[in-house]
Amino acid sequence: KLIDRFGDKVFIFDNLQEIVAIGAGIQGGIKSGEISHETGIMLTDICSHNLGIACMGEYQGIMMPGMFSPILKKHSPLPAKGKNIYFTINDNQSEVTMQIYEGNGELSKENIFIGEMEIIDLPSLPAGQCQIEVEFDYDLNGILKVNAKILNNERVFNGEFQPHERLQGVNNNND
């Protein structure tokens, strides 16, 4: 079917190592600028797993902490950006420890912990009134930039993480 659709642009190799080497070479050439997308070669890197944070959420009909809330979905083309708004769960909550995970599980503990950020000096408000906008920016080099903005006072917190460093040598069967 591929040959019918793409004709002579399809190559068939018997040696899997050769295919990987050619693909890596092409990807390296594209990233370095030596190969232009105008030549007809376009490879798109994707987010291999969901990226998100732990939060309070519903699981099997019960509200509980430790739910995984994806901000960037698996298979998103890179570079990718996404954001969600979260709310405090306690009256007069002054801080939040935002835990960042990579994976495809519904619960945070089913995923790989990447890092955390402390969000402090939240305005003293009733539960659910303080809003925190969390934005993920994931680039082609595997850098995840996280910005958390308290919408009630415009205070911003920033962090930078490298999810793939945590995944090297890990066999995660949550695909």
Side-chain angles (χ1 to χ4, degrees):
K1 291 183 179 184
L2 287 174
I3 294 173
D4 292 341
R5 184 167 178 189
F6 297 105
D8 64 353
K9 294 181 182 179
V10 175
F11 296 95
I12 299 171
F13 296 91
D14 292 327
N15 184 337
L16 295 179
Q17 291 177 343
E18 185 180 4
I19 295 168
V20 171
I22 291 171
I26 291 170
Q27 184 69 17
I30 290 170
K31 283 188 175 186
S32 71
E34 292 179 37
I35 297 176
S36 168
H37 70 278
E38 295 167 3
T39 63
I41 296 174
M42 177 64 80
L43 296 180
T44 304
D45 206 352
I46 62 167
C47 191
S48 60
H49 294 82
N50 293 324
L51 292 167
I53 66 170
C55 68
M56 179 69 88
E58 188 176 325
Y59 183 69
Q60 298 178 348
I62 300 170
M63 289 300 288
M64 61 180 278
M67 296 301 300
F68 181 57
S69 175
I71 295 175
L72 290 177
K73 300 284 188 180
K74 178 180 178 177
H75 297 138
S76 296
L78 298 182
K81 284 187 179 188
K83 60 183 168 182
N84 286 344
I85 296 177
Y86 299 90
F87 303 89
T88 53
I89 57 171
N90 297 312
D91 290 339
N92 304 314
Q93 190 171 340
S94 63
E95 63 186 27
V96 171
T97 300
M98 186 171 61
Q99 297 176 330
I100 302 160
Y101 290 87
E102 176 176 42
N104 303 314
E106 202 173 342
L107 301 173
S108 297
K109 68 181 182 180
E110 299 170 337
N111 298 303
I112 297 168
F113 177 75
I114 295 172
E116 62 185 30
M117 289 174 51
E118 294 293 325
I119 313 302
I120 59 172
D121 296 329
L122 298 176
S124 184
L125 293 168
Q129 296 299 308
C130 182
Q131 301 177 38
I132 303 169
E133 180 182 74
V134 179
E135 181 175 21
F136 281 13
D137 184 354
Y138 195 35
D139 70 20
L140 286 169
N141 296 314
I143 306 293
L144 176 64
K145 293 180 182 171
V146 179
N147 297 310
K149 180 179 181 181
I150 303 169
L151 297 179
N152 305 78
N153 65 12
E154 301 294 314
R155 186 141 188 221
V156 176
F157 298 83
N158 300 301
E160 195 169 282
F161 305 90
Q162 292 186 294
H164 288 306
E165 284 185 2
R166 293 275 192 187
L167 286 179
Q168 289 179 355
V170 173
N171 183 7
N172 187 345
N173 294 323
N174 291 334
D175 293 337

